[in-house]
Structure formats: structure tokens, C-alpha cells
Amino acid sequence: MKQLVIFGNTYQQGNIDKVLSVLEHLRGSGFSIAVERGYLDFLSNGQPWQWPSFDTSRVPEADMALSLGGDGTFLTTVMWVSRMGMPILGINTGHLGYLTAGHLDEESDLIDDVLAGNYRIEERTMLQVKCDAVEIPHPWALNEIAILRHDTSSMLDMETRLRTRELTTYRGDGLIVSTPTGSTAYNMSVGGPILEPTTSCLVLSPISPHSLTMRPLVVRDDSEIVVRTYSRTSQYEVSIDGEVALCPTGSTLTISRAPYCARVVQRESNNFASTLRKKLLWGTDQR
């Protein structure tokens, strides 16, 4: 019997019946499940349910975490379980779902694949960030850490060091440090390269740089990146997979590889090339 912990999206009312059907299917297939309390409250709408629940501050040990939602839900699940070394299976209930293994309509096949062991676990690099002036509550990211302007149209000056050596001062709207997994997220939208998710590297991509010679830079994933940021305002933003922290102007961020990886469950039929074709419509005639 496999132990599963369930996390989910609490904004998609139209999928509740399908999700409840998935949970019943899991139990009928011999899985032991526990559902994150806030998600269970959303699904039950005040009605009692027989499934065990848990709080995110005390996630129980399990063989696998199941993320029901889109990429945002998947990133939240990563935040809660990756330190435990728990594999994460994503089932997309929305539109793109780039990080997920399949769609809600395919849940029967996905469950059968898990039962039969027809899946692999990919270890994905994660990032951590520290600020010398304030404590960042959730400092780990699977996609990216981005330095951004706060309440101003003025540029940021970001003095950047790479592996203790001076690199450059980026001037512009911000700077993204992305993992290979996050290369198809914010990094791609600013013109950064797409990387195969299991490669051992990071990308530094400036946002609207003042100098056109400032191009995205690929570095080793064991690189420590130190950035001191100046602005005309008293604060700047640090976005950690979409979670925003405010840091004082003149403070220093240290960004490095996290001490653990995200363990992402992929079906054997999924691969990097097919994901690009399916999710990003590569090779599709869009006329």
C-alpha cells in the first residue's frame, strides 16, 4: 500500500466533483491518503469527510505527494515536502501545467502507472537565498529567485559577484537567477535560454537591462551568486517562486544551490522533447 499526502488548488470550484472522484479512485486502488486541511475544507464545503487531514506545519511521512492543480500548486507542494525527500506527482487541473505529469482527465492512467511502477523520479536543482539584513521566511525556490523594483520606475543597480569574483553591475528593472526547471518560466519570458530540467547549471537573466550587451549567462549550479542592490527607494523586492519578500536598499543577497533537490515524478512516456512539443507547441502550425 502506498501512502499519499494530497495538496490542491482551492480556486477551481468546477473541478471539485472530479477531484473527489480521484480521491475515491485512489482509495479504491489501495492507496492510504491524507489531505492537507485547507484543501479538504475546500473540497468538503463544510461537510464531514472520512479522509484523514494534516496541517502544513506537520506534513506526515508518505511515499509520495500528490499535487492537484497547476504549476503554482506544484511549487507550493515543493515548498512543503522537498526537505523531506518526498517525490511529488503533479496532476494538472487547469491549463498549461508545465511541471505536472498529466491532466486530471488522465488520472486513471496516471494512477495505474504509479501502481505498476511505470514512472521515474527526476532530481531537480533548487535554490536558496539569504539576505544579510532581514530574514526571508521561505527562502527556497524550484523555479527562480528574482530581484525586482518596488514602488518605483527607477532602475536598480545590482553589484554582482560570481564565486567570490566580481562579475558586473547589472542596471535595469531586475535580475532573475533561474534553475533549469525554471528556465521555461520567468526566465523564458525575458529572453533567457531553455534548459533541460536535469542539467547542472543556473541562468542569470537581466530584466530590461540598461546595456544591450548584458545577456543571459549560464553558470555551474554550484556557483554562489552574491548581489548587493541599490535603488532610489528604501526597499526592493525579492520574488522566490512568486512569494515576495522586501529587503532594504543596500543589502546583500547570497543565492546558491539548496542542500536538497525537488524529486519530481514523471511518467515513463514523458520526456523533455515531448514536453516542449506539447506544452510550448514546438513544431505546431499555428497559422
Side-chain angles (χ1 to χ4, degrees):
M1 177 185 292
K2 282 188 176 290
Q3 307 285 329
L4 294 180
V5 288
I6 314 292
F7 297 82
N9 185 316
T10 59
Y11 298 99
Q12 297 173 338
Q13 293 279 348
N15 287 322
I16 289 179
D17 289 342
K18 286 185 177 180
V19 169
L20 293 176
S21 176
V22 170
L23 298 185
E24 290 291 358
H25 187 185
L26 287 168
R27 187 165 62 173
S29 299
F31 289 93
S32 175
I33 65 175
V35 185
E36 189 272 319
R37 186 166 295 123
Y39 188 46
L40 185 59
D41 289 343
F42 167 74
L43 294 174
S44 61
N45 195 24
Q47 301 299 314
W49 289 97
Q50 62 272 40
W51 297 303
S53 64
F54 63 89
D55 188 80
T56 52
S57 62
R58 298 187 65 181
V59 179
E61 293 288 342
D63 298 304
M64 190 176 291
L66 180 62
S67 171
L68 291 160
D71 290 338
T73 306
F74 193 93
L75 292 172
T76 300
T77 304
V78 166
M79 181 178 69
W80 293 123
V81 308
S82 286
R83 278 171 289 175
M84 303 170 67
M86 194 182 300
I88 306 165
L89 172 65
I91 296 182
N92 181 29
T93 63
H95 300 290
L96 183 61
Y98 192 88
L99 296 172
T100 58
H103 195 270
L104 186 61
D105 296 335
E106 306 173 273
E107 59 88 11
S108 181
D109 292 337
L110 282 167
I111 292 170
D112 289 344
D113 281 348
V114 171
L115 284 170
N118 294 329
Y119 63 90
R120 66 184 185 279
I121 297 174
E122 294 182 350
E123 294 196 343
R124 306 283 187 87
T125 297
M126 293 185 64
L127 294 172
Q128 64 180 2
V129 59
K130 296 179 181 178
C131 179
D132 67 347
V134 296
E135 182 177 355
I136 297 176
H138 298 288
W140 301 281
L142 173 61
N143 271 354
E144 77 273 319
I145 293 168
I147 301 169
L148 305 168
R149 298 177 304 174
H150 179 66
D151 291 340
T152 180
S153 59
S154 299
M155 290 187 296
L156 299 176
D157 288 331
M158 295 159 285
E159 297 177 354
T160 304
R161 299 179 69 84
L162 176 66
R163 297 191 295 272
T164 74
R165 301 296 180 89
E166 180 182 358
L167 177 63
T168 188
T169 296
Y170 290 101
R171 300 194 71 206
D173 288 353
L175 177 67
I176 300 167
V177 180
S178 170
T179 67
T181 299
S183 69
T184 51
Y186 199 174
N187 167 75
M188 186 174 70
S189 72
V190 300
I194 295 174
L195 303 174
E196 192 161 6
T198 54
T199 53
S200 300
C201 57
L202 305 173
V203 185
L204 282 70
S205 294
I207 304 170
S208 301
H210 184 255
S211 172
L212 294 179
T213 63
M214 294 290 186
R215 313 308 299 169
L217 174 66
V218 179
V219 300
R220 301 196 315 252
D221 72 350
D222 62 353
S223 301
E224 183 179 79
I225 299 157
V226 178
V227 185
R228 183 182 292 274
T229 300
Y230 296 94
S231 170
R232 290 185 180 180
T233 60
S234 60
Q235 294 176 310
Y236 62 94
E237 295 183 5
V238 182
S239 175
I240 305 135
D241 277 355
E243 296 289 327
V244 175
L246 296 178
C247 294
T249 295
S251 61
T252 298
L253 299 178
T254 302
I255 301 169
S256 60
R257 184 175 59 191
Y260 52 84
C261 295
R263 306 184 71 215
V264 179
V265 176
Q266 292 284 2
R267 301 165 77 180
E268 289 293 356
S269 58
N270 289 356
N271 58 71
F272 179 57
S274 67
T275 300
L276 289 177
R277 292 196 305 272
K278 183 177 180 180
K279 301 292 187 178
L280 299 185
L281 304 179
W282 279 32
T284 300
D285 189 348
Q286 301 180 54
R287 290 177 295 177

